[in-house]
Amino acid sequence: MKTLSPRLLWIAVISFIIASCTKEEITPRPAPPAKGVVNEVTATAVSLTEDFESGTKAAYAAANVTLGSGSWYFDEALIGNLSTDVKTGAASARIRNTGSITMNFNASGANTITISHAVFGADGSSTWQLWISTDGGSTYTQTGSTVTTSSTTLQTATFTLSITGNIRLSIRKVSGGSNRINIDNITISTGTSGGGGTPGDNSHLLLGNPSGAVASTSYPTNYLMDQTYYVLSYNNVRGTPNWVSWHISSSDLGSAARQDDFRANTSLPSGWYQVGATSYSGSGFDRGHNCPSADRTSTVTANSSTFLMTNMIPQAPQNNQQTWNNLEMYTRSLVTAGNEVYVIMGNYGTGGTGSNGGTTTTIDNGHVTVPSNVWKVIVVIANGNNDLSRITSSTRVIAVNTPNINSIGTDWKSYRTSVDAIETATGYDLLSNVPASIQQVVEAQVDNQ
């Protein structure tokens, strides 16, 4: 056997130490699935549907009503069957003021919840929230972002989470005064039955859950959060997301103004530290968006959602304002040119260099870790349907990995890499819902367009 020289042996030891440190940044978390295997968090089998076609309730006074799925408690709500009630079929729920509809029974597990909603008649817009209970209705927690209902036709709100035990839903109208909203076609999907499958077109997790994130406080370093307009894995130890995943189509790009309403995410579990709007002040680092503000300009609510601090990382100003901004503008140009894109952005490592100079490992009194690297993967497909089946070995996949330093170059193309390389650095399984034979090709390539 050939003996290594002292110099080569020393290099090997250093490489092993560096690799070990990198791996430590991304643990603990549930093991990701094997390539080509649909992650349990994204598998879909319907566990509950409610279309409000069974049961009657003609008054707004609080009362229980028996529906097709079970008993629900209606407060300032009724079953609407007028011509001005927006619905599929003969009826839908109608909620006024700050009313709500709440399950009196448990469903078993949930990973995706979809709810159709519209304004009643000629009423103005309103906002509502989805709250869930996992303890039989004793306590409830809001999931996802507040939803604005402004359309006179049914729109679908999708909430992504991962709960294997009992769950109850409460849909709560929170604004709009006497304006009324219609709710219809509630579906809870879960992967616990082993039915398989993947989320539908435009789902933020269509391509997979990179780290097997779970919406359970048992996983504080890999906590799945659905913010309606994007989905993320939050790391309560680092005070930043591990990754954020979202879909962009032309309908996401509108004329809503940049809100600049940076704020703490109050939907984090009780007792978790909430990074605030001023937590980065004086640090020399920008509040760097993962899902960009300009990717969500269809409505004020959509844009505002991107300013939650759980969507931010401490990013070197030149990295954020030049290199990353150039990549974001290029990505949107692909969308306006007739494509839709799926984007996953994340970070890893510890220690970046901001405008104050020198390497900084944490800010906000140690509550927020400064990453050493910032990465992004962009999958580009022409506008169309059945998105997952349209990803082939020739699909353009752009992978970028930049150091989080202020002396970075402005051309993002200089930092292109392969998906395989990002997976090696992070330990994640990206694009896990894409067939394995296609993954092997697109993940090994480095974009050169």
Side-chain angles (χ1 to χ4, degrees):
M1 183 176 71
K2 185 179 291 185
T3 302
L4 290 175
S5 68
R7 180 174 179 272
L8 290 176
L9 183 60
W10 176 245
I11 292 173
V13 170
I14 292 298
S15 299
F16 175 79
I17 292 172
I18 292 174
S20 299
C21 292
T22 302
K23 191 70 173 179
E24 186 176 342
E25 296 292 347
I26 58 170
T27 55
R29 66 172 189 280
K35 285 187 178 297
V37 176
V38 176
N39 196 299
E40 180 180 328
V41 176
T42 57
T44 55
V46 173
S47 67
L48 178 142
T49 60
E50 181 51 64
D51 56 11
F52 302 98
E53 298 301 302
S54 300
T56 58
K57 186 176 186 296
Y60 286 108
N64 294 323
V65 57
T66 300
L67 303 175
S69 59
S71 172
W72 290 67
Y73 180 71
F74 278 47
D75 181 17
E76 290 286 335
L78 52 74
I79 304 295
N81 55 13
L82 302 178
S83 61
T84 43
D85 284 294
V86 186
K87 54 194 177 293
T88 55
S92 61
R94 188 198 312 160
I95 310 174
R96 71 176 184 181
N97 299 331
T98 53
S100 62
I101 59 174
T102 303
M103 293 166 56
N104 290 324
F105 61 98
N106 293 327
S108 180
N111 96 46
T112 302
I113 300 170
T114 58
I115 302 171
S116 297
H117 59 104
V119 298
F120 169 80
D123 285 7
S125 62
S126 299
T127 56
W128 56 274
Q129 299 168 345
L130 175 63
W131 290 63
I132 63 171
S133 173
T134 57
D135 56 9
S138 296
T139 60
Y140 282 84
T141 303
Q142 183 187 351
T143 187
S145 297
T146 300
V147 180
T148 298
T149 297
S150 56
S151 174
T152 55
T153 60
L154 288 173
Q155 306 294 307
T156 301
T158 302
F159 303 85
T160 304
L161 59 165
S162 181
I163 296 174
T164 56
N166 291 332
I167 182 173
R168 296 189 184 193
L169 308 185
S170 180
I171 298 169
R172 304 178 179 182
K173 187 171 176 291
V174 293
S175 79
S178 60
N179 290 331
R180 294 153 291 183
I181 61 172
N182 285 121
I183 297 292
D184 206 356
N185 305 324
I186 300 172
T187 300
I188 302 178
S189 300
T190 175
T192 57
S193 68
T198 57
D201 281 359
N202 306 341
S203 164
H204 304 312
L205 289 181
L206 179 70
L207 304 186
N209 181 326
S211 61
V214 178
S216 167
T217 54
S218 297
Y219 298 97
T221 62
N222 192 28
Y223 182 70
L224 187 68
M225 301 185 71
D226 175 18
Q227 301 302 146
T228 303
Y229 303 98
Y230 53 91
V231 174
L232 63 97
S233 163
Y234 188 70
N235 192 319
N236 189 48
V237 173
R238 292 173 68 92
T240 64
N242 298 309
W243 51 262
V244 179
S245 186
W246 68 101
H247 171 266
I248 315 173
S249 66
S250 58
S251 63
D252 295 308
L253 308 179
S255 57
R258 180 183 169 98
Q259 298 303 296
D260 276 321
D261 53 344
F262 292 94
R263 62 200 185 279
N265 192 332
T266 57
S267 70
L268 284 170
S270 176
W272 287 20
Y273 181 75
Q274 296 180 6
V275 180
T278 60
S279 289
Y280 291 19
S281 297
S283 68
F285 292 91
D286 284 359
R287 295 170 293 193
H289 283 70
N290 281 257
C291 179
S293 161
D295 283 6
R296 293 292 181 252
T297 52
S298 59
T299 66
V300 168
T301 302
N303 188 264
S304 177
S305 75
T306 69
F307 288 91
L308 290 167
M309 291 302 293
T310 46
N311 185 43
M312 304 295 162
I313 58 171
Q315 198 166 3
Q318 297 304 313
N319 184 311
N320 180 41
Q321 299 170 29
Q322 295 188 19
T323 319
W324 224 242
N325 183 56
N326 291 339
L327 175 57
E328 291 166 358
M329 290 192 296
Y330 177 74
T331 303
R332 289 188 290 273
S333 75
L334 294 173
V335 175
T336 57
N339 299 293
E340 53 186 303
V341 299
Y342 289 87
V343 187
I344 312 166
M345 176 175 167
N347 66 91
Y348 66 88
T350 301
T353 305
S355 59
N356 293 340
T359 299
T360 302
T361 57
T362 64
I363 61 174
D364 193 20
N365 295 316
H367 288 297
V368 179
T369 298
V370 178
S372 63
N373 287 74
V374 186
W375 58 267
K376 182 176 283 188
V377 172
I378 304 161
V379 177
V380 187
I381 54 176
N383 289 333
N385 299 314
N386 301 314
D387 294 350
L388 197 60
S389 66
R390 295 189 297 122
I391 297 175
T392 70
S393 57
S394 60
T395 295
R396 186 180 184 192
V397 177
I398 306 169
V400 176
N401 188 350
T402 66
N404 190 23
I405 58 176
N406 219 32
S407 57
I408 191 172
T410 60
D411 186 3
W412 61 267
K413 293 181 180 178
S414 302
Y415 301 94
R416 284 181 290 192
T417 183
S418 68
V419 175
D420 280 342
I422 293 175
E423 288 183 330
T424 298
T426 62
Y428 299 151
D429 185 9
L430 303 171
L431 316 185
S432 60
N433 284 348
V434 175
S437 59
I438 297 174
Q439 283 189 66
Q440 290 171 0
V441 176
V442 298
E443 292 189 359
Q445 296 174 344
V446 177
D447 178 69
N448 60 7
Q449 297 187 39

